[in-house]
């Protein structure tokens, strides 16, 4: 027996353990320092923003944009009267009415796969979800409110499922009254699939059914449909006409007019226009009943507003509006965040923007004016920030990567007034998508816990 060798090995093991303890302590110390620096960084960003405001107030009393920006590209700052009117809408705290009860939980809509997206139709009776399994699932969620133990399971069993060619990143319902009952599905392979739904459609017989539509071009010949070079980030429908916008990581936005499906399951698509932005299009929404399209491209310092009122004859005209509220010379092209989600307010006056720097911003529509900045959550460059309005426009709902909850901000105070977590029947996995109706207090969410939930206000 080599006793000296054993003693030597034991000494080395003891030494390694002690070194490990020292390293662990150092890691904790560095983690604490990183947290301190993150807080300091946020404070510095707030100071810079304040300096910009002071500089603008003291050195520029006109409404024109900075001289270094192309005139007409960047919208003018609002007057003091316009600013006051905007702020007056958020002086009084909310009335306490917002969605806060998980009324319906639907499991296994995509079997064992994660849900990546969700949306509601115009009257909020039909839910569509997109999943990593490459399926779109469509169901009438109201049946899950029946007072039986298996009500939710029956809704899931009766859901119509349509397979696409790749994971479904985003879904959206056509919004035109009397228009086609179609869900657009933006996929990982860059394609946009169109799914018709309704009673008796496909193999639905008397219940909810759905079918993947074949796409026809202007010459009524079969086409590949809507296709981007990279994955689709957002799909959005105009509220006034059957106009579909799809935005992609390849920097393009395609506008397509969608016809009425025929009995054979084919639909005519008219490609109207393609816009090419300088970076991946991360967020997009329609405004002004479909007359305006608002979008954000990564690594840019502005929102693009496209006027669509004359796009049939003159194309979509672009106006760039800086996201830096107070532009001091030299800072015009600088931006410390990327906007990952854009949602118009119910009254159409504002646009809420979720960023990847733990900051949600309420912009005045068409203006760089920031009405509120909302903090208290965490979303960084590796998260999927999502937001939604309450129907009264007094609250904003948003996800956070800190936990599995949904934060509810009172916009007037800027405070988080409630966190909808698993103790309240919420999700047990991070929230991937939030969709709210602009006309009711119905909210749909999809999570990495593989469930979809319908949220309603608590009954008084």
């Amino acid at each position: 027996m080599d006793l000296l060798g054993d003693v030597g090995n034991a000494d080395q093991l003891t030494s390694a353990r002690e070194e490990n303890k020292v390293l662990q302590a150092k890691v904790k110390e560095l983690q604490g320092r990183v947290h301190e620096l993150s807080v300091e960084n946020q404070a510095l960003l707030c100071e810079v923003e304040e300096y910009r405001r002071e500089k603008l107030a003291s050195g520029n009393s006109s409404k024109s944009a900075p001289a270094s920006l192309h005139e007409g590209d960047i919208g003018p700052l609002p007057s003091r009267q316009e600013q006051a009117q905007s702020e007056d809408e958020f002086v009084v705290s909310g009335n306490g009415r917002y969605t806060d009860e998980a009324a319906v939980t639907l499991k296994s809509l995509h079997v064992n796969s994660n849900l990546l997206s969700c949306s509601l139709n115009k009257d909020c009776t039909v839910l569509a979800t997109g999943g990593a399994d490459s399926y779109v699932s469509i169901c009438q969620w109201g049946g899950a409110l029946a007072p039986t133990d298996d009500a939710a399971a029956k809704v899931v069993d009766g859901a119509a499922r349509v397979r696409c060619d790749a994971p479904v990143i985003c879904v959206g319902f056509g919004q035109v009254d009397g228009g086609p009952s179609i869900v657009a599905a933006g996929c990982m392979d860059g394609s946009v699939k169109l799914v018709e739904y309704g009673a008796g459609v496909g193999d639905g017989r008397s219940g909810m059914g759905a079918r993947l539509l074949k796409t026809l071009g202007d010459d009524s010949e079969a086409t590949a449909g809507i296709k981007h070079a990279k994955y689709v980030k957002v799909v959005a429908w105009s509220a006034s006409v059957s106009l579909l916008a799809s935005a992609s990581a390849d920097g393009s936005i395609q506008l397509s007019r969608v016809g009425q499906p025929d009995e054979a399951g084919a639909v005519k698509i008219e490609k109207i226009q393609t816009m090419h932005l300088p970076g991946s299009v991360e967020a997009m929404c329609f405004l002004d009943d479909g007359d305006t399209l608002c979008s954000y491209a990564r690594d840019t310092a502005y929102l693009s507003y496209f006027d669509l009122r004359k796009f049939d004859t003159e194309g979509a005209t672009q106006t760039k509006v800086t996201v830096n509220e107070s532009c001091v010379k030299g800072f015009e092209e600088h931006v410390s965040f990327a906007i990952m989600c854009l949602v118009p307010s119910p009254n159409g006056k504002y646009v809420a923007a979720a960023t990847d720097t733990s900051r949600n911003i309420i912009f005045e529509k068409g203006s760089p004016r920031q009405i509120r900045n909302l903090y208290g959550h965490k979303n960084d460059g590796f998260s999927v920030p999502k937001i939604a309005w309450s129907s009264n426009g007094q609250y904003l709902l948003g996800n956070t990567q800190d936990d599995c909850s949904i934060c509810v901000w009172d916009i007037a105070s800027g405070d988080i007034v409630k966190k909808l977590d698993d103790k309240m029947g919420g999700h047990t996995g991070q929230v991937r998508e939030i969709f709210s109706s602009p006309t009711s207090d119905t909210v749909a969410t999809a999570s990495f816990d593989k469930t979809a939930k319908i949220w309603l206000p608590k009954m008084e």
Side-chain angles (χ1 to χ4, degrees):
M1 181 180 297
D2 187 2
L3 294 178
L4 291 177
D6 291 342
V7 171
N9 291 335
D11 287 343
Q12 290 180 12
L13 181 59
T14 301
S15 177
R17 286 174 175 168
E18 292 302 318
E19 290 178 3
N20 187 49
K21 289 180 181 179
V22 173
L23 290 173
Q24 288 179 341
K26 189 64 175 177
V27 167
K28 289 182 179 179
E29 179 185 341
L30 291 174
Q31 287 175 335
R33 183 56 181 155
V34 167
H35 179 71
E36 292 174 2
L37 290 173
S38 298
V39 173
E40 290 175 8
N41 183 56
Q42 289 298 322
L44 287 172
L45 289 174
C46 291
E47 287 183 27
V48 169
E49 189 171 320
E50 190 62 32
Y51 289 150
R52 288 175 179 172
R53 290 175 179 170
E54 292 176 1
K55 179 68 175 178
L56 187 71
S58 62
N60 183 11
S61 60
S62 70
K63 292 175 61 179
S64 61
S68 59
L69 299 176
H70 295 296
E71 186 176 357
D73 281 353
I74 305 293
L77 291 171
S79 66
R80 293 185 182 274
Q81 182 179 1
E82 291 170 334
Q83 292 179 11
Q85 290 174 348
S86 297
E87 291 176 346
D88 285 347
E89 292 199 36
F90 298 108
V91 168
V92 180
S93 292
N95 59 13
R97 182 171 178 79
Y98 53 83
T99 299
D100 60 351
E101 181 180 13
V104 170
T105 299
L106 301 175
K107 302 177 181 179
S108 304
L109 280 170
H110 294 266
V111 194
N112 294 319
S113 295
N114 279 318
L115 281 71
L116 304 179
S117 54
C118 67
S119 185
L120 294 167
N121 69 337
K122 192 169 185 178
D123 65 8
C124 299
T125 59
V126 181
L127 169 72
T129 58
D133 59 353
S134 303
Y135 276 87
V136 174
S137 181
I138 303 174
C139 65
Q140 293 175 300
W141 61 268
L145 295 173
T148 59
D149 293 338
D150 61 347
K154 286 183 177 179
V155 169
V156 173
D157 290 342
R161 285 166 48 84
V162 173
R163 182 171 177 79
C164 300
D165 296 328
V168 180
I169 299 174
C170 50
V171 291
F173 283 89
Q175 297 294 307
V176 181
D177 290 328
S181 298
I182 293 178
V183 173
C187 301
M188 185 74 76
D189 63 355
S191 66
V192 178
K193 302 297 184 183
L194 299 178
V195 179
E196 184 184 16
Y197 69 94
V201 175
D203 58 357
R205 301 182 180 87
S206 60
M208 175 61 69
R211 61 181 175 180
L212 189 66
L213 293 171
K214 302 173 185 177
T215 54
L216 305 176
D218 294 339
D219 55 1
S220 297
E221 295 294 326
T223 68
I226 304 169
K227 181 71 176 178
H228 294 267
K230 293 183 179 179
Y231 58 95
V232 180
K233 305 278 286 190
V234 194
V235 291
W237 292 85
S238 166
S240 56
V241 295
S242 292
L243 185 68
L244 173 64
S246 55
S248 168
D250 66 6
S252 69
I253 297 175
Q254 292 189 31
L255 295 176
S256 307
R257 184 177 284 112
V258 180
Q260 188 78 32
D262 61 24
E263 294 182 0
V267 62
K268 188 174 181 179
I269 295 179
E270 181 185 357
K271 294 184 179 180
I272 303 298
Q273 190 169 359
T274 300
M275 289 88 81
H276 298 278
L277 277 65
S280 171
V281 184
E282 302 292 346
M284 176 181 69
C285 66
F286 275 103
L287 303 169
D288 304 324
D289 291 327
D291 286 341
T292 305
L293 184 68
C294 178
S295 67
Y296 174 80
R298 182 172 286 276
D299 297 327
T300 63
Y302 55 84
L303 290 174
S304 292
Y305 288 84
F306 293 98
D307 187 345
L308 305 181
R309 287 173 295 182
K310 298 180 181 179
F311 72 87
D312 279 327
T313 56
E314 301 177 11
T317 56
Q318 180 187 24
T319 299
K320 299 176 182 177
V321 177
T322 179
V323 296
N324 290 320
E325 179 180 17
S326 302
C327 292
V328 178
K329 188 173 182 180
F331 285 92
E332 298 93 341
E333 299 303 321
H334 171 75
V335 64
S336 61
F337 54 82
I339 294 174
M340 308 301 291
C341 182
L342 289 168
V343 185
S345 63
N347 64 9
K349 295 181 180 180
Y350 309 99
V351 179
T355 78
D356 62 353
T357 56
S358 305
R359 175 186 179 190
N360 295 329
I361 307 170
I362 308 294
F363 286 103
E364 189 174 55
K365 182 188 68 177
S367 162
R369 177 69 177 164
Q370 295 177 14
I371 306 302
R372 288 291 186 276
N373 280 269
L374 306 177
Y375 301 96
H377 64 305
K378 183 178 180 181
N379 276 320
D380 61 22
F382 298 98
S383 62
V384 186
K386 298 292 182 180
I387 48 175
W389 291 82
S390 64
S391 64
N392 58 20
Q394 299 172 359
Y395 298 92
L396 196 74
L397 289 73
N399 62 351
T400 174
Q401 71 182 79
D402 266 346
D403 51 40
C404 307
S405 68
I406 298 171
C407 301
V408 181
W409 283 270
D410 174 71
I411 297 176
S413 68
D415 295 333
I416 294 177
V417 294
K418 185 170 285 190
K419 295 190 79 171
L420 310 179
D421 55 23
D422 57 347
K423 296 177 182 177
M424 303 181 64
H427 290 287
T428 57
Q430 286 192 358
V431 176
R432 165 76 188 200
E433 181 69 275
I434 306 174
F435 179 90
S436 66
S437 166
T439 57
S440 75
D441 288 304
T442 306
V443 172
T445 57
S447 165
F448 286 135
D449 63 9
K450 302 177 183 178
T451 70
K453 290 182 182 288
I454 300 294
W455 299 77
L456 300 171
K458 286 183 179 177
M459 299 296 293
E460 297 180 355

